[in-house]
Amino acid sequence: MAAPTLSAEQEALFRLIEDTREHVFVTGRAGTGKSTLLRHLLRKTSKQIAVCAPTGVAALNVEGQTIHSLFKLPIGLIADGDIDQNSATRKILGAIDTLVIDEISMVNADLMDAIDRSLRQARARRREPFGGVQVVMFGDPYQLAPVPPRGDEKRYIEDHYRSFWFFDAKVWAGENSSDGVLEMGRHGAELHIRELTEIHRQSDDGFKTMLNAVRYGRVTADIASTLNEMGARTPPEDVDNPILTLATRNDRVNAINAKHLAALPGKSQTAVAEVSGDFGRGDAYPADENLELKVGAQVMFLRNDSASGGEPPRWVNGTLGTVTRILGDSVRVEVGDEEHDVEPAVWEKHRYAYDSLSKKLSSEIAAEFTQFPLRLAWAVTIHKSQGQTYDRAVVDLGGGAFAAGQTYVALSRLTSLEGLYLARPLRPSDIRVDENVRRFMRAAWERQGHEMRVAATS
């Protein structure tokens, strides 16, 4: 599949990352091409890059490692505890020019500071933030938040940090004194925040405006009325192309999928995944370990078509289709007016190694997960819809959005307002924005505007 061409703002941002040593946070609204820029960076950079993410599935998507795996960090609060590093870990961390962190909004402040300490410790550059490594982060704090701390962890965070978000880590303020090296008040790492603004998912300016209002928590009565009036339509009864439901909770999604699967005639067949190596627990799997299907099942593709041979892809991650035949070693799926035989896909779990001869990082395969790249898709959780695009969907917020940004993620999956159906009207309590995110992003905009004014007059 041909690589997409970068927009002018994406290209400018790539050059900032590639041509400087600046720490950069790449953010932007849903559909602005953050993932496209990340993939381009990983393909085209001349630097020695290590890429990581806070969760196993997110790490798989960028062919990297989890943060805890790469840095060999303990699970849970790290605080000022010792960070044990063997020689192999020190060599890997010592060879990195640029560290890329995807889904950075899910990384908490304590983990961000542990990354800083680990790099300084491994590279024996203990006074320089991140040991001199350039840190490039991708994500949108308006969409995904870190898991809130509880109990003693919550009390520790409240005593030591302004908030549990990554942007309130001490490394940015020069206050990371957890190992007695960076002193209080010392100038911290300077973070350059760049927001992609050109939306590629939606074309209607009116709908973009509404999504912006939901993102920032500025929904007026008129916007709420328009969304609710459009969403109140009865979803079409399309047997050949059932509409997808985006729901807040797994139990609701599982119930919808099980109900529709049971209603289909015939006997179901189950494909069991093959797992080799240390792939982690089931929640780290990129697809169902036991995938139960029937002819007529609505499914979603979990991978881009890798066999298009330069032709337009037959499907991409998030494409919906209908199972028309189950052949054992393949599943025939109808997408639009065409049928395709889908074979099992292999997800590779990578880990970094250091080659002492070339003095370079290498990425090797540590484990493999083989399964059909499909998931039952009469319903999917809003969280798992992250990064995907749908022409139409039912948004089911159930008892209410329980996380900041959840409603925005759901609505911004849609390409147009015409594709929106609501299981119930939106309520004011569904529009949730974290006040710490508001504070951070407001300061970022003011600072970026100042930088642009200075550049224009210099």
Side-chain angles (χ1 to χ4, degrees), residues 11-26:
E11 179 64 32
L13 193 42
F14 170 69
R15 295 267 47 108
L16 171 66
I17 296 168
E18 183 68 7
D19 298 341
T20 75
R21 302 289 303 161
E22 305 290 356
H23 305 301
V24 183
F25 170 40
V26 181

Side-chain angles (χ1 to χ4, degrees), residues 60 279 286-287 302-303 345-349 367-369 371-373:
L60 284 174
F279 213 95
L302 303 176
R303 290 276 293 269
V346 180
W347 284 264
E348 298 172 343
K349 182 178 180 180
E368 293 183 338
F369 180 95
Q371 178 60 287
F372 290 103

Side-chain angles (χ1 to χ4, degrees), residues 237-243 296 298 321-322 334 336 392:
E237 291 290 339
D238 189 343
V239 176
D240 295 327
N241 186 22
I243 193 165
Q298 177 162 289
T322 303
E334 184 177 35
R392 59 181 193 164

Side-chain angles (χ1 to χ4, degrees), residues 425-446:
L426 294 175
R427 306 166 185 159
S429 58
D430 294 324
I431 312 301
R432 302 183 60 179
V433 180
D434 191 289
E435 288 303 320
N436 291 296
V437 173
R438 276 201 176 107
R439 164 180 56 82
F440 170 69
M441 292 304 294
R442 185 183 303 116
W445 293 326
E446 291 173 354

Side-chain angles (χ1 to χ4, degrees), residues 86-117:
N86 58 30
S87 60
T89 299
R90 287 195 297 272
K91 287 179 180 177
I92 291 169
L93 300 184
I96 298 172
D97 293 326
T98 299
L99 176 70
V100 175
I101 309 175
D102 196 23
E103 301 293 9
I104 185 62
S105 64
M106 298 179 70
V107 175
N108 66 39
D110 174 66
L111 183 55
M112 192 81 244
D113 279 336
I115 292 170
D116 166 51
R117 289 173 57 208

